Each structure stands twice: as structure tokens, then as C-alpha cells.
Amino acid sequence: GAGVSQTPSNKVTEKGKYVELRCDPISGHTALYWYRQSLGQGPEFLIYFQGTGAADDSGLPNDRFFAVRPEGSVSTLKIQRTERGDSAVYLCASSLGVNSAETQYFGPGTRLLVL
Amino acid sequence: DAKTTQPPSMDCAEGRAANLPCNHSTISGNEYVYWYRQIHSQGPQYIIHGLKNNETNEMASLIITEDRKSSTLILPHATLRDTAVYYCIVRGHYGGSQGNLIFGKGTKLSVKP
């Protein structure tokens, strides 16, 4: 079946601009996670959703970052007033549920470059 | 912080078994050991996970020690396409989080012809 998809695959923007990154989870998966990966580092957790609600947003670096999942499927990560330090690969993952036995499956990521 | 320790890099000859170690001495009884790998410029790929028993699937085998303080991922016949960064992750409940993955730096496996 179809895996997790993310669009766009690459995004170049200028400092100060607003960007939206989209994630389409695997059909039927209720949990959706966002991670960010800087060059040479492992992915770092940002936020996760159980259904429509953000169950844990403790990884969001500041209030310029926001994510939504209005219908419990597709999610959008929104970054306001982008900074050069926001440049990274943004990864989305989904799983059937949130317990530890439920495997998270990752998308290919969106590579964001802020000039 | 990641609850696992892995060697930063390893080499393996093509066709031979690759054995990737992971230490997780502070693992709790309800925490799973997960392995993912990441090939350059791709998202992490799930490989295998286990709780107490050894596990095997079409990609790899996972051997967990009886005290659960360490584990080994085994790729039985490594190919050049197995060159990647391999992440060992202990997954459970951390405070208010519900099992989000905490990645360390992983092991860079280089399979050589």
C-alpha cells in the first residue's frame, strides 16, 4: 500500500517568509509525528497528533512553529518568519496507534532551505 | 537524550554478516528496542523491533540479551545497498510523551565490495 508522503520534497525560501509543509499519513493511521533533522544529526521530535488533537508539542522550538491536523488525516507544519537556522529536513511519520508496540513509518521528508 | 549507545561507524565486507551492537543499560521493563536505518537523503526505514525475545524478519534478526541491557542487529548477508546509518532506539513512555522516537547519532555502516 501507499506509504507516508510529504510535499514539497524541496522548499527554498527567504528569511522572514512563511512556509507550509504537508504530510499525508498511511491510511487508517491515527497517530502522526513530525521530526526535524539537521545535517549530521539524528531526527528530533517536534510534535505528534492522536487524531485531530496535538497530544504533545513539547519539541516545537518556539512559537513560530505550528502544526494542524483538522480532519485527523493530513497534517500541515507551518513555520512563520523563517530563519536560516530553520533549514533542515522535516520528517513526518505515522503509526496505527501511539503505544510502544506500534511502529512508526516515515515519509521521505521535505528539505527546507532558508536563504 | 537517547538512552542508547552505538559505535559511530563500522565496516563490513559484502556478503558477510553485519553485526551492529547497541547498549541500553537503563532500559525499563515496558520499553521496546527499535532499529531503523537511514540511507542518504531518505527518510528513516523501519527494520525490526523487540521487547524481550529475539526477533527475525525478512530484513534482519534482533538479538536481545537476557538482561535486556544490550542488543545486536544482524544483517545476515550484507549488500552494498545496506550502507546506511543504523539507529537503535529504546521506545517507551517518557513523561508526557507517548512513545515518540528519540534518535541518537547511530552507527554508520559501510559495506565494502
Side-chain angles (χ1 to χ4, degrees):
Chain A
V4 178
S5 62
Q6 294 186 244
T7 54
S9 54
N10 294 280
K11 176 70 177 178
V12 180
T13 191
E14 294 179 343
K15 179 174 178 287
K17 299 289 189 182
Y18 168 83
V19 296
E20 289 189 351
L21 312 178
R22 176 187 168 108
C23 173
D24 282 82
I26 294 171
S27 178
H29 281 194
T30 63
L32 185 148
Y33 300 77
W34 283 99
Y35 294 82
R36 178 169 74 171
Q37 186 170 25
S38 301
L39 197 62
Q41 305 295 317
E44 293 180 318
F45 169 73
L46 295 176
I47 183 172
Y48 97 91
F49 291 85
Q50 173 61 16
T52 60
D56 182 358
D57 64 357
S58 61
L60 295 177
N62 52 58
D63 60 7
R64 295 187 298 105
F65 289 74
F66 189 71
V68 295
R69 195 186 185 200
E71 298 178 356
S73 178
V74 171
S75 177
T76 305
L77 179 65
K78 308 180 181 196
I79 310 174
Q80 298 178 324
R81 304 182 304 280
T82 52
E83 300 177 356
R84 293 194 180 88
D86 299 335
S87 296
V89 176
Y90 289 81
L91 295 160
C92 176
S94 71
S95 61
L96 273 173
V98 298
N99 76 55
S100 301
E102 300 286 2
T103 299
Q104 293 182 26
Y105 296 94
F106 283 81
T110 293
R111 284 152 191 79
L112 175 67
L113 177 61
V114 182
L115 300 176
Chain B
D1 290 344
K3 294 181 69 174
T4 61
T5 304
Q6 298 177 256
S9 63
M10 290 182 63
D11 289 342
C12 178
E14 188 178 20
R16 305 298 291 267
N19 297 281
L20 291 92
C22 180
N23 287 324
H24 31 78
S25 58
T26 60
I27 193 169
S28 300
N30 65 349
E31 291 177 325
Y32 284 78
V33 179
Y34 274 80
W35 283 83
Y36 284 79
R37 73 180 182 184
Q38 191 169 26
I39 296 167
H40 183 61
S41 298
Q42 298 182 20
Q45 178 189 22
Y46 166 75
I47 302 173
I48 199 167
H49 73 282
L51 183 62
K52 294 181 182 178
N53 300 321
N54 298 337
E55 302 288 343
T56 294
N57 62 21
E58 65 278 5
M59 288 183 69
S61 294
L62 173 60
I63 309 298
I64 303 174
T65 58
E66 191 169 345
D67 63 7
R68 301 187 71 237
K69 293 185 177 182
S70 65
S71 61
T72 301
L73 179 75
I74 301 172
L75 307 178
H77 305 287
T79 71
L80 299 178
R81 287 176 295 181
D82 292 322
T83 292
V85 177
Y86 287 76
Y87 295 101
C88 170
I89 300 164
V90 166
R91 184 183 176 197
H93 294 281
Y94 301 98
S97 297
Q98 297 292 314
N100 55 281
L101 300 173
I102 301 177
F103 288 80
K105 295 198 172 184
T107 295
K108 174 78 170 92
L109 176 68
S110 299
V111 180
K112 300 184 183 299

mmCIF file of all heavy atoms in Angstrom, chain B residues 43-86:
data_model
loop_
_atom_site.group_PDB
_atom_site.id
_atom_site.type_symbol
_atom_site.label_atom_id
_atom_site.label_comp_id
_atom_site.label_asym_id
_atom_site.label_seq_id
_atom_site.Cartn_x
_atom_site.Cartn_y
_atom_site.Cartn_z
ATOM 1 N N GLY B 43 14.128 9.135 4.140
ATOM 2 C CA GLY B 43 13.588 9.073 5.485
ATOM 3 C C GLY B 43 14.005 7.785 6.174
ATOM 4 O O GLY B 43 14.379 6.814 5.512
ATOM 5 N N PRO B 44 13.978 7.763 7.506
ATOM 6 C CA PRO B 44 14.324 6.528 8.224
ATOM 7 C C PRO B 44 13.420 5.378 7.811
ATOM 8 O O PRO B 44 12.211 5.549 7.633
ATOM 9 C CB PRO B 44 14.109 6.908 9.692
ATOM 10 C CG PRO B 44 14.272 8.389 9.733
ATOM 11 C CD PRO B 44 13.712 8.872 8.430
ATOM 12 N N GLN B 45 14.025 4.195 7.683
ATOM 13 C CA GLN B 45 13.308 2.989 7.292
ATOM 14 C C GLN B 45 13.249 2.044 8.474
ATOM 15 O O GLN B 45 14.286 1.710 9.063
ATOM 16 C CB GLN B 45 14.014 2.312 6.112
ATOM 17 C CG GLN B 45 13.363 1.015 5.657
ATOM 18 C CD GLN B 45 14.209 0.261 4.638
ATOM 19 O OE1 GLN B 45 15.422 0.447 4.543
ATOM 20 N NE2 GLN B 45 13.570 -0.591 3.856
ATOM 21 N N TYR B 46 12.065 1.600 8.832
ATOM 22 C CA TYR B 46 11.900 0.646 9.921
ATOM 23 C C TYR B 46 12.537 -0.684 9.540
ATOM 24 O O TYR B 46 12.388 -1.171 8.411
ATOM 25 C CB TYR B 46 10.420 0.445 10.220
ATOM 26 C CG TYR B 46 10.109 -0.754 11.086
ATOM 27 C CD1 TYR B 46 10.365 -0.724 12.444
ATOM 28 C CD2 TYR B 46 9.588 -1.917 10.531
ATOM 29 C CE1 TYR B 46 10.092 -1.828 13.241
ATOM 30 C CE2 TYR B 46 9.311 -3.023 11.318
ATOM 31 C CZ TYR B 46 9.569 -2.971 12.670
ATOM 32 O OH TYR B 46 9.297 -4.068 13.451
ATOM 33 N N ILE B 47 13.261 -1.288 10.500
ATOM 34 C CA ILE B 47 13.855 -2.598 10.258
ATOM 35 C C ILE B 47 13.179 -3.664 11.101
ATOM 36 O O ILE B 47 12.616 -4.632 10.584
ATOM 37 C CB ILE B 47 15.376 -2.595 10.576
ATOM 38 C CG1 ILE B 47 16.097 -1.550 9.737
ATOM 39 C CG2 ILE B 47 15.961 -3.987 10.317
ATOM 40 C CD1 ILE B 47 17.564 -1.376 10.120
ATOM 41 N N ILE B 48 13.206 -3.493 12.417
ATOM 42 C CA ILE B 48 12.729 -4.544 13.304
ATOM 43 C C ILE B 48 12.586 -3.978 14.705
ATOM 44 O O ILE B 48 13.164 -2.933 15.010
ATOM 45 C CB ILE B 48 13.729 -5.729 13.287
ATOM 46 C CG1 ILE B 48 13.104 -7.017 13.810
ATOM 47 C CG2 ILE B 48 15.010 -5.378 14.051
ATOM 48 C CD1 ILE B 48 13.959 -8.267 13.503
ATOM 49 N N HIS B 49 11.787 -4.606 15.556
ATOM 50 C CA HIS B 49 11.742 -4.225 16.957
ATOM 51 C C HIS B 49 11.450 -5.446 17.817
ATOM 52 O O HIS B 49 10.960 -6.469 17.321
ATOM 53 C CB HIS B 49 10.711 -3.115 17.212
ATOM 54 C CG HIS B 49 9.278 -3.534 17.153
ATOM 55 N ND1 HIS B 49 8.603 -3.738 15.968
ATOM 56 C CD2 HIS B 49 8.379 -3.778 18.142
ATOM 57 C CE1 HIS B 49 7.357 -4.071 16.218
ATOM 58 N NE2 HIS B 49 7.187 -4.115 17.534
ATOM 59 N N GLY B 50 11.765 -5.318 19.106
ATOM 60 C CA GLY B 50 11.518 -6.421 20.025
ATOM 61 C C GLY B 50 11.424 -5.928 21.453
ATOM 62 O O GLY B 50 11.873 -4.830 21.784
ATOM 63 N N LEU B 51 10.857 -6.762 22.301
ATOM 64 C CA LEU B 51 10.713 -6.430 23.713
ATOM 65 C C LEU B 51 11.667 -7.278 24.567
ATOM 66 O O LEU B 51 12.508 -6.751 25.267
ATOM 67 C CB LEU B 51 9.266 -6.656 24.167
ATOM 68 C CG LEU B 51 8.940 -6.278 25.610
ATOM 69 C CD1 LEU B 51 9.162 -4.793 25.837
ATOM 70 C CD2 LEU B 51 7.496 -6.653 25.949
ATOM 71 N N LYS B 52 11.502 -8.589 24.485
ATOM 72 C CA LYS B 52 12.353 -9.481 25.280
ATOM 73 C C LYS B 52 12.948 -10.585 24.418
ATOM 74 O O LYS B 52 14.106 -10.943 24.559
ATOM 75 C CB LYS B 52 11.544 -10.126 26.408
ATOM 76 C CG LYS B 52 11.050 -9.167 27.447
ATOM 77 C CD LYS B 52 10.273 -9.893 28.533
ATOM 78 C CE LYS B 52 9.734 -8.917 29.572
ATOM 79 N NZ LYS B 52 8.936 -9.612 30.611
ATOM 80 N N ASN B 53 12.128 -11.123 23.535
ATOM 81 C CA ASN B 53 12.561 -12.265 22.736
ATOM 82 C C ASN B 53 13.324 -11.823 21.505
ATOM 83 O O ASN B 53 13.176 -10.696 21.035
ATOM 84 C CB ASN B 53 11.346 -13.082 22.295
ATOM 85 C CG ASN B 53 10.562 -13.618 23.477
ATOM 86 O OD1 ASN B 53 11.145 -14.033 24.467
ATOM 87 N ND2 ASN B 53 9.255 -13.595 23.362
ATOM 88 N N ASN B 54 14.151 -12.719 20.992
ATOM 89 C CA ASN B 54 14.809 -12.459 19.721
ATOM 90 C C ASN B 54 13.763 -12.427 18.619
ATOM 91 O O ASN B 54 12.747 -13.120 18.682
ATOM 92 C CB ASN B 54 15.855 -13.536 19.450
ATOM 93 C CG ASN B 54 16.942 -13.542 20.498
ATOM 94 O OD1 ASN B 54 17.186 -12.543 21.179
ATOM 95 N ND2 ASN B 54 17.598 -14.684 20.653
ATOM 96 N N GLU B 55 14.008 -11.610 17.628
ATOM 97 C CA GLU B 55 13.068 -11.449 16.537
ATOM 98 C C GLU B 55 13.795 -11.578 15.199
ATOM 99 O O GLU B 55 14.968 -11.222 15.093
ATOM 100 C CB GLU B 55 12.386 -10.075 16.595
ATOM 101 C CG GLU B 55 11.625 -9.780 17.878
ATOM 102 C CD GLU B 55 10.339 -10.573 18.001
ATOM 103 O OE1 GLU B 55 9.861 -11.115 16.980
ATOM 104 O OE2 GLU B 55 9.793 -10.648 19.132
ATOM 105 N N THR B 56 13.068 -12.072 14.205
ATOM 106 C CA THR B 56 13.629 -12.176 12.849
ATOM 107 C C THR B 56 12.546 -11.816 11.851
ATOM 108 O O THR B 56 11.384 -12.206 12.014
ATOM 109 C CB THR B 56 14.127 -13.613 12.575
ATOM 110 O OG1 THR B 56 15.225 -13.889 13.441
ATOM 111 C CG2 THR B 56 14.612 -13.752 11.134
ATOM 112 N N ASN B 57 12.940 -11.063 10.843
ATOM 113 C CA ASN B 57 12.044 -10.818 9.715
ATOM 114 C C ASN B 57 12.852 -10.903 8.428
ATOM 115 O O ASN B 57 14.007 -11.361 8.444
ATOM 116 C CB ASN B 57 11.300 -9.483 9.862
ATOM 117 C CG ASN B 57 12.221 -8.277 9.881
ATOM 118 O OD1 ASN B 57 13.367 -8.335 9.413
ATOM 119 N ND2 ASN B 57 11.729 -7.190 10.422
ATOM 120 N N GLU B 58 12.257 -10.480 7.333
ATOM 121 C CA GLU B 58 12.925 -10.647 6.046
ATOM 122 C C GLU B 58 14.156 -9.747 5.894
ATOM 123 O O GLU B 58 14.979 -9.966 5.014
ATOM 124 C CB GLU B 58 11.939 -10.366 4.905
ATOM 125 C CG GLU B 58 11.437 -8.936 4.840
ATOM 126 C CD GLU B 58 10.294 -8.645 5.801
ATOM 127 O OE1 GLU B 58 9.940 -9.555 6.602
ATOM 128 O OE2 GLU B 58 9.764 -7.527 5.744
ATOM 129 N N MET B 59 14.282 -8.751 6.742
ATOM 130 C CA MET B 59 15.416 -7.839 6.631
ATOM 131 C C MET B 59 16.565 -8.216 7.555
ATOM 132 O O MET B 59 17.732 -8.067 7.188
ATOM 133 C CB MET B 59 14.975 -6.405 6.961
ATOM 134 C CG MET B 59 14.114 -5.749 5.915
ATOM 135 S SD MET B 59 13.724 -4.049 6.345
ATOM 136 C CE MET B 59 15.326 -3.270 6.163
ATOM 137 N N ALA B 60 16.230 -8.612 8.782
ATOM 138 C CA ALA B 60 17.280 -8.733 9.792
ATOM 139 C C ALA B 60 16.819 -9.597 10.955
ATOM 140 O O ALA B 60 15.666 -10.008 11.026
ATOM 141 C CB ALA B 60 17.643 -7.343 10.306
ATOM 142 N N SER B 61 17.785 -9.853 11.850
ATOM 143 C CA SER B 61 17.481 -10.503 13.130
ATOM 144 C C SER B 61 17.887 -9.565 14.250
ATOM 145 O O SER B 61 18.856 -8.804 14.122
ATOM 146 C CB SER B 61 18.247 -11.823 13.265
ATOM 147 O OG SER B 61 17.802 -12.759 12.309
ATOM 148 N N LEU B 62 17.137 -9.623 15.334
ATOM 149 C CA LEU B 62 17.427 -8.822 16.517
ATOM 150 C C LEU B 62 17.638 -9.765 17.684
ATOM 151 O O LEU B 62 16.751 -10.563 18.018
ATOM 152 C CB LEU B 62 16.261 -7.865 16.814
ATOM 153 C CG LEU B 62 16.334 -7.063 18.116
ATOM 154 C CD1 LEU B 62 17.574 -6.172 18.127
ATOM 155 C CD2 LEU B 62 15.070 -6.217 18.284
ATOM 156 N N ILE B 63 18.833 -9.675 18.267
ATOM 157 C CA ILE B 63 19.175 -10.497 19.413
ATOM 158 C C ILE B 63 19.247 -9.591 20.637
ATOM 159 O O ILE B 63 20.040 -8.642 20.656
ATOM 160 C CB ILE B 63 20.536 -11.202 19.209
ATOM 161 C CG1 ILE B 63 20.580 -11.936 17.871
ATOM 162 C CG2 ILE B 63 20.817 -12.134 20.382
ATOM 163 C CD1 ILE B 63 19.555 -13.035 17.724
ATOM 164 N N ILE B 64 18.404 -9.859 21.631
ATOM 165 C CA ILE B 64 18.370 -9.064 22.862
ATOM 166 C C ILE B 64 18.911 -9.935 23.991
ATOM 167 O O ILE B 64 18.459 -11.077 24.173
ATOM 168 C CB ILE B 64 16.933 -8.590 23.176
ATOM 169 C CG1 ILE B 64 16.362 -7.788 22.003
ATOM 170 C CG2 ILE B 64 16.904 -7.757 24.453
ATOM 171 C CD1 ILE B 64 14.899 -7.393 22.164
ATOM 172 N N THR B 65 19.849 -9.408 24.758
ATOM 173 C CA THR B 65 20.406 -10.180 25.854
ATOM 174 C C THR B 65 19.346 -10.437 26.921
ATOM 175 O O THR B 65 18.349 -9.721 27.015
ATOM 176 C CB THR B 65 21.605 -9.472 26.487
ATOM 177 O OG1 THR B 65 21.181 -8.174 26.952
ATOM 178 C CG2 THR B 65 22.732 -9.305 25.484
ATOM 179 N N GLU B 66 19.598 -11.465 27.726
ATOM 180 C CA GLU B 66 18.598 -11.863 28.721
ATOM 181 C C GLU B 66 18.294 -10.736 29.710
ATOM 182 O O GLU B 66 17.145 -10.566 30.129
ATOM 183 C CB GLU B 66 19.088 -13.100 29.475
ATOM 184 C CG GLU B 66 18.014 -13.745 30.337
ATOM 185 C CD GLU B 66 18.445 -15.109 30.864
ATOM 186 O OE1 GLU B 66 19.437 -15.662 30.341
ATOM 187 O OE2 GLU B 66 17.795 -15.594 31.805
ATOM 188 N N ASP B 67 19.310 -9.951 30.076
ATOM 189 C CA ASP B 67 19.082 -8.833 30.999
ATOM 190 C C ASP B 67 18.552 -7.585 30.281
ATOM 191 O O ASP B 67 18.297 -6.570 30.918
ATOM 192 C CB ASP B 67 20.350 -8.496 31.785
ATOM 193 C CG ASP B 67 21.497 -8.023 30.905
ATOM 194 O OD1 ASP B 67 21.283 -7.826 29.688
ATOM 195 O OD2 ASP B 67 22.608 -7.856 31.423
ATOM 196 N N ARG B 68 18.423 -7.661 28.978
ATOM 197 C CA ARG B 68 17.884 -6.598 28.118
ATOM 198 C C ARG B 68 18.753 -5.342 28.114
ATOM 199 O O ARG B 68 18.327 -4.312 27.619
ATOM 200 C CB ARG B 68 16.451 -6.230 28.541
ATOM 201 C CG ARG B 68 15.481 -7.389 28.496
ATOM 202 C CD ARG B 68 14.054 -6.940 28.748
ATOM 203 N NE ARG B 68 13.549 -6.192 27.607
ATOM 204 C CZ ARG B 68 13.079 -4.951 27.680
ATOM 205 N NH1 ARG B 68 13.046 -4.299 28.825
ATOM 206 N NH2 ARG B 68 12.644 -4.353 26.588
ATOM 207 N N LYS B 69 19.966 -5.424 28.571
ATOM 208 C CA LYS B 69 20.795 -4.224 28.615
ATOM 209 C C LYS B 69 21.546 -3.978 27.317
ATOM 210 O O LYS B 69 22.208 -2.940 27.164
ATOM 211 C CB LYS B 69 21.768 -4.305 29.790
ATOM 212 C CG LYS B 69 21.055 -4.255 31.137
ATOM 213 C CD LYS B 69 22.033 -4.203 32.300
ATOM 214 C CE LYS B 69 21.265 -4.076 33.613
ATOM 215 N NZ LYS B 69 22.172 -3.967 34.769
ATOM 216 N N SER B 70 21.504 -4.898 26.402
ATOM 217 C CA SER B 70 22.123 -4.665 25.105
ATOM 218 C C SER B 70 21.434 -5.529 24.058
ATOM 219 O O SER B 70 20.695 -6.467 24.387
ATOM 220 C CB SER B 70 23.619 -4.978 25.145
ATOM 221 O OG SER B 70 23.830 -6.355 25.388
ATOM 222 N N SER B 71 21.678 -5.166 22.805
ATOM 223 C CA SER B 71 21.108 -5.936 21.710
ATOM 224 C C SER B 71 22.044 -5.855 20.510
ATOM 225 O O SER B 71 22.947 -5.018 20.463
ATOM 226 C CB SER B 71 19.713 -5.427 21.340
ATOM 227 O OG SER B 71 19.755 -4.075 20.922
ATOM 228 N N THR B 72 21.815 -6.738 19.561
ATOM 229 C CA THR B 72 22.598 -6.768 18.319
ATOM 230 C C THR B 72 21.652 -6.928 17.147
ATOM 231 O O THR B 72 20.778 -7.810 17.159
ATOM 232 C CB THR B 72 23.608 -7.932 18.313
ATOM 233 O OG1 THR B 72 24.482 -7.783 19.428
ATOM 234 C CG2 THR B 72 24.423 -7.937 17.024
ATOM 235 N N LEU B 73 21.820 -6.071 16.170
ATOM 236 C CA LEU B 73 21.102 -6.215 14.909
ATOM 237 C C LEU B 73 21.994 -6.977 13.955
ATOM 238 O O LEU B 73 23.163 -6.631 13.778
ATOM 239 C CB LEU B 73 20.761 -4.844 14.322
ATOM 240 C CG LEU B 73 20.036 -4.872 12.982
ATOM 241 C CD1 LEU B 73 18.583 -5.281 13.180
ATOM 242 C CD2 LEU B 73 20.125 -3.525 12.278
ATOM 243 N N ILE B 74 21.453 -8.001 13.334
ATOM 244 C CA ILE B 74 22.229 -8.813 12.408
ATOM 245 C C ILE B 74 21.625 -8.743 11.016
ATOM 246 O O ILE B 74 20.445 -9.072 10.823
ATOM 247 C CB ILE B 74 22.285 -10.294 12.864
ATOM 248 C CG1 ILE B 74 22.906 -10.395 14.261
ATOM 249 C CG2 ILE B 74 23.079 -11.133 11.861
ATOM 250 C CD1 ILE B 74 22.832 -11.777 14.859
ATOM 251 N N LEU B 75 22.437 -8.277 10.060
ATOM 252 C CA LEU B 75 22.086 -8.357 8.636
ATOM 253 C C LEU B 75 22.832 -9.569 8.106
ATOM 254 O O LEU B 75 24.064 -9.536 8.004
ATOM 255 C CB LEU B 75 22.510 -7.093 7.902
ATOM 256 C CG LEU B 75 22.038 -5.762 8.493
ATOM 257 C CD1 LEU B 75 22.579 -4.594 7.665
ATOM 258 C CD2 LEU B 75 20.529 -5.708 8.556
ATOM 259 N N PRO B 76 22.166 -10.652 7.762
ATOM 260 C CA PRO B 76 22.858 -11.922 7.533
ATOM 261 C C PRO B 76 23.800 -11.925 6.328
ATOM 262 O O PRO B 76 24.843 -12.574 6.375
ATOM 263 C CB PRO B 76 21.718 -12.927 7.359
ATOM 264 C CG PRO B 76 20.510 -12.117 7.057
ATOM 265 C CD PRO B 76 20.709 -10.781 7.686
ATOM 266 N N HIS B 77 23.448 -11.229 5.280
ATOM 267 C CA HIS B 77 24.295 -11.206 4.083
ATOM 268 C C HIS B 77 24.292 -9.767 3.552
ATOM 269 O O HIS B 77 23.471 -9.407 2.711
ATOM 270 C CB HIS B 77 23.770 -12.160 3.011
ATOM 271 C CG HIS B 77 23.605 -13.569 3.479
ATOM 272 N ND1 HIS B 77 24.678 -14.405 3.703
ATOM 273 C CD2 HIS B 77 22.500 -14.285 3.794
ATOM 274 C CE1 HIS B 77 24.227 -15.578 4.128
ATOM 275 N NE2 HIS B 77 22.913 -15.536 4.193
ATOM 276 N N ALA B 78 25.195 -8.960 4.072
ATOM 277 C CA ALA B 78 25.181 -7.540 3.745
ATOM 278 C C ALA B 78 25.467 -7.300 2.261
ATOM 279 O O ALA B 78 26.315 -7.967 1.652
ATOM 280 C CB ALA B 78 26.196 -6.799 4.596
ATOM 281 N N THR B 79 24.738 -6.340 1.694
ATOM 282 C CA THR B 79 24.991 -5.911 0.319
ATOM 283 C C THR B 79 25.371 -4.435 0.344
ATOM 284 O O THR B 79 25.216 -3.743 1.358
ATOM 285 C CB THR B 79 23.748 -6.097 -0.567
ATOM 286 O OG1 THR B 79 22.763 -5.134 -0.179
ATOM 287 C CG2 THR B 79 23.165 -7.490 -0.426
ATOM 288 N N LEU B 80 25.846 -3.954 -0.799
ATOM 289 C CA LEU B 80 26.244 -2.547 -0.885
ATOM 290 C C LEU B 80 25.071 -1.625 -0.558
ATOM 291 O O LEU B 80 25.259 -0.538 -0.019
ATOM 292 C CB LEU B 80 26.794 -2.245 -2.281
ATOM 293 C CG LEU B 80 28.042 -3.039 -2.691
ATOM 294 C CD1 LEU B 80 28.455 -2.664 -4.117
ATOM 295 C CD2 LEU B 80 29.187 -2.809 -1.726
ATOM 296 N N ARG B 81 23.858 -2.084 -0.854
ATOM 297 C CA ARG B 81 22.670 -1.266 -0.584
ATOM 298 C C ARG B 81 22.340 -1.163 0.897
ATOM 299 O O ARG B 81 21.465 -0.384 1.285
ATOM 300 C CB ARG B 81 21.469 -1.828 -1.343
ATOM 301 C CG ARG B 81 21.517 -1.583 -2.840
ATOM 302 C CD ARG B 81 20.358 -2.232 -3.550
ATOM 303 N NE ARG B 81 20.411 -3.691 -3.451
ATOM 304 C CZ ARG B 81 19.532 -4.506 -4.003
ATOM 305 N NH1 ARG B 81 18.502 -4.020 -4.666
ATOM 306 N NH2 ARG B 81 19.656 -5.808 -3.880
ATOM 307 N N ASP B 82 23.018 -1.947 1.722
ATOM 308 C CA ASP B 82 22.817 -1.848 3.170
ATOM 309 C C ASP B 82 23.665 -0.752 3.795
ATOM 310 O O ASP B 82 23.579 -0.518 5.008
ATOM 311 C CB ASP B 82 23.126 -3.192 3.837
ATOM 312 C CG ASP B 82 22.119 -4.274 3.466
ATOM 313 O OD1 ASP B 82 20.920 -3.954 3.350
ATOM 314 O OD2 ASP B 82 22.544 -5.435 3.286
ATOM 315 N N THR B 83 24.501 -0.093 3.012
ATOM 316 C CA THR B 83 25.277 1.032 3.529
ATOM 317 C C THR B 83 24.318 2.134 3.955
ATOM 318 O O THR B 83 23.523 2.620 3.151
ATOM 319 C CB THR B 83 26.254 1.548 2.460
ATOM 320 O OG1 THR B 83 27.257 0.559 2.226
ATOM 321 C CG2 THR B 83 26.904 2.844 2.905
ATOM 322 N N ALA B 84 24.379 2.506 5.243
ATOM 323 C CA ALA B 84 23.412 3.440 5.794
ATOM 324 C C ALA B 84 23.808 3.770 7.230
ATOM 325 O O ALA B 84 24.732 3.167 7.786
ATOM 326 C CB ALA B 84 21.995 2.838 5.799
ATOM 327 N N VAL B 85 23.086 4.701 7.841
ATOM 328 C CA VAL B 85 23.201 4.946 9.277
ATOM 329 C C VAL B 85 22.111 4.134 9.970
ATOM 330 O O VAL B 85 20.936 4.234 9.595
ATOM 331 C CB VAL B 85 23.058 6.440 9.616
ATOM 332 C CG1 VAL B 85 23.103 6.644 11.131
ATOM 333 C CG2 VAL B 85 24.141 7.253 8.931
ATOM 334 N N TYR B 86 22.510 3.335 10.944
ATOM 335 C CA TYR B 86 21.585 2.470 11.669
ATOM 336 C C TYR B 86 21.349 3.031 13.069
ATOM 337 O O TYR B 86 22.291 3.268 13.818
ATOM 338 C CB TYR B 86 22.141 1.046 11.742
ATOM 339 C CG TYR B 86 22.068 0.343 10.411
ATOM 340 C CD1 TYR B 86 22.970 0.653 9.392
ATOM 341 C CD2 TYR B 86 21.085 -0.600 10.155
ATOM 342 C CE1 TYR B 86 22.877 0.039 8.152
ATOM 343 C CE2 TYR B 86 20.989 -1.235 8.924
ATOM 344 C CZ TYR B 86 21.888 -0.897 7.925
ATOM 345 O OH TYR B 86 21.792 -1.513 6.697
#
